Amino acid sequence: MKINKEKNSENQYSKQRKMTNIFDSNDEEDLYLGSSDEKRLEAMTEKERQKILYERHSKIKAMKEKAIIEQKLNEIEKKQPTAADSLKVSKIENNFDIFCTCVIKRDFIIDNIYKPFLQNWIGNLIRFKINEDYYIGKVRSYIHDQEVYDLPKPNGVTKTDVVFELDAGFKVFRRIRIAFLSNAPPTQSDYEDFLKNNPNFDLNTQLNKVKSTNFIMKKPLTESEHIKMLTEKRSLYSDPNKRIILRKIKLIKERDEAIEAKKFEKAEEIQRVIDGMNVKPINKEEEVWKKVSERNRKINAQNARRYELSKKNNK
């Protein structure tokens, strides 16, 4: 009887200790895995039991905190606009000032002409000059022309062979060089003529397009994109004959892609450019003499250096 009384008093003491420990009542209920687990823990010493309960409490607390954080993050994520939403604009009516921000300037194209994003110019608005008249047209497509031409800039000259196809609404202008594009904003007259010739024009769609283009052109280049840009630039400054061969290969690929996409009009235009490309053949005799001349130049340069050294030594 005495032993039973001692056990009962110990159990009662343990329960009181449990109620006064660091855990709140809600956590206390979660710390036991069942009646058998509770009995097992009751059989332990106070120190062992409190250690196990503390470890369980810490895990439960961490899980609850994680759940709360995840819930808050989900709420924030739902409130924040996505990348696609950031490119969208609210519905607005046609407005001259906003329209002007949608027209791409010549220098912006020149600054990004070597980047491997030519496809992204399609759909943008450009102001361009034909004879003495200015028009605003939408870029329908582009091709690499046979001839390389210069684009003067304050800090030098940029070479390119890109020409655009521009749709002004009343007429499609083909093979327009970048040199004929304008840096000046549209006039009110340009704007009104464009709307007249393009009655279905949607300013909201155009704003989204120009935002997307600006984002792509200004984003940092990846390593592969940077290599493509340098390759494009070098090809324009390389030997003309070699450049024409490389361009012809590229144009054939573009033509085949246009045919596959059922853009037969573009394919025909590319084919006309290909037909007009004249590659000067290099026969074996010319190649031999070219190598001989190169070798002779090297020998002459070496002899000149030796002569200069001998003159210095004799002094």
Side-chain angles (χ1 to χ4, degrees), residues 209-309:
K209 176 60 186 175
V210 78
K211 272 192 171 188
S212 173
T213 302
N214 282 327
F215 173 78
I216 289 168
M217 296 301 168
K218 291 177 181 178
K219 76 179 183 71
L221 295 175
T222 64
E223 186 178 352
S224 62
E225 288 169 347
H226 189 70
I227 291 170
K228 286 179 182 178
M229 183 182 75
L230 291 177
T231 303
E232 174 69 15
K233 187 174 181 180
R234 285 169 185 163
S235 70
L236 293 163
Y237 289 83
S238 63
D239 175 75
N241 210 44
K242 182 180 177 182
R243 185 193 66 78
I244 291 173
I245 294 170
L246 293 173
R247 283 297 179 215
K248 198 166 187 177
I249 294 169
K250 195 169 185 178
L251 283 170
I252 290 169
K253 184 182 177 183
E254 288 179 7
R255 180 203 60 194
D256 293 344
E257 288 174 351
I259 293 171
E260 191 175 339
K262 296 183 179 180
K263 296 180 179 179
F264 301 113
E265 192 176 341
K266 183 180 179 181
E268 287 176 5
E269 186 176 355
I270 294 172
Q271 185 59 52
R272 283 194 292 271
V273 176
I274 293 171
D275 293 339
M277 298 177 83
N278 298 316
V279 180
K280 182 183 176 183
I282 300 176
N283 56 42
K284 289 184 179 180
E285 187 177 347
E286 285 179 327
E287 188 66 33
V288 169
W289 281 111
K290 188 177 178 182
K291 288 180 180 179
V292 170
S293 298
E294 183 66 28
R295 188 180 63 186
N296 288 338
R297 277 196 295 271
K298 288 181 180 179
I299 292 170
N300 291 336
Q302 289 173 356
N303 290 336
R305 282 196 294 271
R306 286 173 186 162
Y307 177 71
E308 290 294 329
L309 287 171

